[in-house]
Amino acid sequence: MPPIIRKLTALARRLPPGHPKQQFIENDLGRYRSGYHGEQSLDYQLSFLPKKTFHILHSLRLADSDNRFFQMDTILLTPFYILIIEAKNISGTVYFDEQFHQLIRTNDGQEVAFKDPLLQVEHQKNQFEHWLQAHKMPPLPIETIVVFTNSSTVIKTAPGNPKRYENVIHSMDLLAQVERFTHENKEEKLSEKELRKLSRTLIRKNTPDDPNVLARYSVAEADLLKGVHCPECGKLAMKRAHGIWVCPSCEASSKSAHVEALRDYALLIRPEITNQQLRDFLRLSSRTMATNILASMNLEHSGGTRGRRYWLFFDE
């Protein structure tokens, strides 16, 4: 899961009700989640491709020569060509507006305009071509395709330019389109060794979007709700007693509910914490309770007893 989704999820549950940025953040979170689930839904189709011939990379984010970033949802690397897949997880009816270069989604009588995904993926292609040239990679034909991952999406456009839309498909047609691209690009450009080298280089140069979301959305650290969420009812804040967290709302108990709270702290504030900062964020009154929690987590730390900082590294 991309870091931006984990961070926005933590931020959304730590905002007080009615916060001025709440709706904006939740809208962005919904958009990122929708895109992520759309990319995930392609995995089933892509799993049928032979791994020796097709190298599949997701959410590849690269910097150009001016340090401007561009991101591609999914790319297929083959010895013959590269395919950039722009995935769209949009429900309802979508209409490609050729005149104003936008995608109009109609759902439950409501219209919403999006950027034209065909222009998006063509721009990605141009940026990627320049990136490959700048990094002295062998020239490869680059194909592009827009895939709607929701099988119930109705796709419409004005008549008159069918060629432009032949690479707009539903995910169920993806393998057939890959077969067509493979048939059209028969000349081998890369050996198996060169293909592996290109894959490794792209993975090494990948820079995931991992922002400071408090700064991006102008949310003050002081605005964040503190405490431990109940894993059963989701409410704040659980109470600590005798080594166990107890929810005053639903009376559920947990020995490790603090782990999720500290994950929120690492995602939103900083990846290290002191005993005092832990007490403040978990709403603990006892230094001994905080010390016991830190000891139980077996965290790496630096510094002496006073002012010791603990590193909050979690497996995601």
Side-chain angles (χ1 to χ4, degrees):
M1 182 177 291
I4 184 64
I5 295 180
R6 297 199 302 270
K7 289 189 172 188
L8 286 182
T9 300
L11 181 55
R13 66 174 167 243
R14 291 284 169 182
L15 286 179
H19 190 279
K21 296 297 178 70
Q22 184 176 33
Q23 191 60 54
F24 186 59
I25 289 167
E26 289 180 354
N27 288 344
D28 275 4
L29 176 58
R31 180 169 55 85
Y32 281 115
R33 279 177 173 167
S34 177
Y36 175 61
H37 293 320
E39 292 173 42
Q40 281 188 311
S41 70
L42 292 180
D43 286 350
Y44 175 74
Q45 300 291 336
L46 296 174
S47 68
F48 290 97
L49 296 173
K51 293 178 175 58
K52 188 175 181 179
T53 308
F54 293 89
H55 291 203
I56 304 167
L57 301 178
H58 293 290
S59 300
L60 189 67
R61 185 170 178 263
L62 304 171
D64 65 16
S65 56
D66 295 318
N67 208 33
R68 296 170 301 193
F69 287 94
F70 64 100
Q71 182 165 325
M72 296 167 284
D73 289 344
T74 300
I75 68 169
L76 303 188
L77 303 177
T78 81
F80 311 96
Y81 67 96
I82 295 173
L83 174 60
I84 303 176
I85 301 174
E86 176 71 12
K88 293 297 179 186
N89 185 16
I90 301 177
S91 58
T93 298
V94 295
Y95 175 78
F96 283 85
D97 180 0
E98 186 74 25
Q99 181 177 359
F100 295 103
H101 305 293
Q102 61 185 345
L103 183 73
I104 301 173
R105 189 271 302 276
T106 304
N107 198 24
D108 294 330
Q110 299 292 318
E111 283 189 347
V112 179
F114 299 87
K115 294 178 181 178
D116 185 339
L118 285 168
L119 294 182
Q120 282 183 286
V121 75
E122 279 301 312
H123 185 51
Q124 292 167 10
K125 173 183 175 179
N126 292 335
Q127 290 175 297
F128 196 29
E129 284 176 337
H130 292 146
W131 189 95
L132 291 170
Q133 291 171 6
H135 288 80
K136 297 180 171 52
M137 296 294 174
L140 276 168
I142 299 180
E143 305 283 359
T144 61
I145 195 168
V146 175
V147 181
F148 285 89
T149 58
N150 189 322
S151 60
S152 63
T153 303
V154 178
I155 306 171
K156 293 184 176 182
T157 186
N161 193 4
K163 183 73 175 175
R164 172 169 160 78
Y165 299 101
E166 66 180 3
N167 291 344
V168 178
I169 62 171
H170 283 106
S171 56
M172 66 186 71
D173 300 318
L174 179 57
L175 293 180
Q177 289 292 87
V178 170
E179 186 175 343
R180 178 172 70 84
F181 289 133
T182 302
H183 180 75
E184 293 173 355
N185 296 276
K186 293 183 176 180
E187 183 181 350
E188 184 172 299
K189 303 289 185 178
L190 297 179
S191 66
E192 186 179 335
K193 182 179 179 180
E194 290 172 324
L195 183 62
R196 290 198 304 268
K197 180 182 177 181
L198 175 58
S199 294
R200 288 195 300 267
T201 301
L202 290 171
I203 292 169
R204 189 172 67 250
K205 296 290 186 179
N206 181 44
T207 307
D209 187 19
D210 190 11
N212 179 330
V213 290
L214 296 187
R216 174 177 287 190
Y217 293 91
S218 300
V219 175
E221 183 181 330
D223 290 349
L224 299 178
L225 296 173
K226 298 175 180 179
V228 174
H229 285 92
C230 174
E232 296 297 327
C233 70
K235 292 184 178 179
L236 285 172
M238 300 185 85
K239 305 294 184 183
R240 182 82 171 177
H242 308 295
I244 293 178
W245 294 98
V246 179
C247 177
S249 297
C250 71
E251 298 184 351
S253 63
S254 171
K255 290 184 177 181
S256 59
H258 56 272
V259 173
E260 196 64 30
L262 293 177
R263 183 179 278 110
D264 287 353
Y265 185 95
L267 289 168
L268 299 175
I269 301 173
R270 62 187 65 87
E272 76 273 354
I273 197 167
T274 65
N275 186 297
Q276 182 177 343
Q277 289 166 343
L278 183 140
R279 297 198 311 269
D280 177 62
F281 194 73
L282 299 188
R283 296 174 62 177
L284 292 172
S285 58
S286 166
R287 180 180 180 85
T288 301
M289 285 183 181
T291 299
N292 291 338
I293 286 174
L294 290 166
S296 71
M297 295 180 69
N298 195 30
L299 300 170
E300 294 184 21
H301 54 79
S302 60
T305 303
R306 183 177 293 276
R308 176 173 290 177
R309 310 189 75 83
Y310 298 83
W311 299 97
L312 300 172
F313 296 137
F314 299 97
D315 293 331
E316 299 295 349

